[in-house]
């Protein structure tokens, strides 16, 4: 039986997450979620099980509601970098989930690196 897109996505997501958990060593992870209309990211401390910083295109003050393109991803990446450094986080693991590293995900990661986060 052929694998569905969802099954392949779940496999990639678990593979990425398990590699991060092996290497984590106490560093938080920058988790990305992408829907058809929005992008959201969180800096999560798995040891304590809490979110340290978050940013999303759903926030009205960012002016990106309903936008899911590279420009919006870059702005979200810069915003999460600013919020993470304000929360005292400098180094993170990039958890791209099951999304491939190109386009919007790459734009978000590059903007976060330029904002001061180290992956």
């Amino acid at each position: 039986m052929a694998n569905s897109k969802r099954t392949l996505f779940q496999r990639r997501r678990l593979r990425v997450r398990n590699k991060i958990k092996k290497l984590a060593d106490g560093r938080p992870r920058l988790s990305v979620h992408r829907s058809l209309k929005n992008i959201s990211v969180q800096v999560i401390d798995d040891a304590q099980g809490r979110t340290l910083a978050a940013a999303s295109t759903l926030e009205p003050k960012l002016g990106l509601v309903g936008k899911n393109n590279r420009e919006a991803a870059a702005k979200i990446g810069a915003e999460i970098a600013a919020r993470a450094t304000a929360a005292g986080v400098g180094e993170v693991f990039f958890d791209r989930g099951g999304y491939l590293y190109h386009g919007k995900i790459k734009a978000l990661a590059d903007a976060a690196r330029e904002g001061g986060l180290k992956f």
Side-chain angles (χ1 to χ4, degrees):
M1 181 172 179
N3 291 320
S4 67
K5 278 187 171 186
R6 186 70 185 159
T7 305
L8 294 172
F9 176 83
Q10 293 290 347
R11 275 179 161 173
R12 272 194 314 267
R13 191 179 114 223
L14 289 174
R15 184 173 60 235
V16 169
R17 184 88 32 94
N18 287 333
K19 283 182 185 178
I20 288 173
K21 283 182 181 178
K22 285 180 186 175
L23 300 172
D25 196 35
R27 284 186 1 198
R29 64 184 163 100
L30 180 68
S31 179
V32 178
H33 180 266
R34 199 186 75 184
S35 71
L36 291 176
K37 293 185 178 181
N38 293 293
I39 299 172
S40 60
V41 291
Q42 295 179 336
V43 177
I44 302 169
D45 184 4
D46 288 321
Q48 297 178 356
R50 51 175 254 213
T51 300
L52 304 174
S56 173
T57 55
L58 289 170
E59 297 175 21
K61 72 174 191 170
L62 295 178
L64 300 170
V65 175
K67 295 194 177 180
N68 186 2
N69 53 24
R70 287 185 189 174
E71 292 81 21
K75 287 181 183 176
I76 292 298
E79 185 67 26
I80 195 65
R83 291 181 186 182
T85 52
V89 177
E91 289 188 15
V92 295
F93 274 105
F94 187 63
D95 180 7
R96 61 183 173 83
Y99 307 109
L100 299 177
Y101 187 82
H102 70 92
K104 298 169 206 164
I105 302 298
K106 185 173 188 241
L108 189 143
D110 291 341
R113 279 190 192 102
E114 288 173 9
L117 282 180
K118 294 180 183 169
F119 295 4

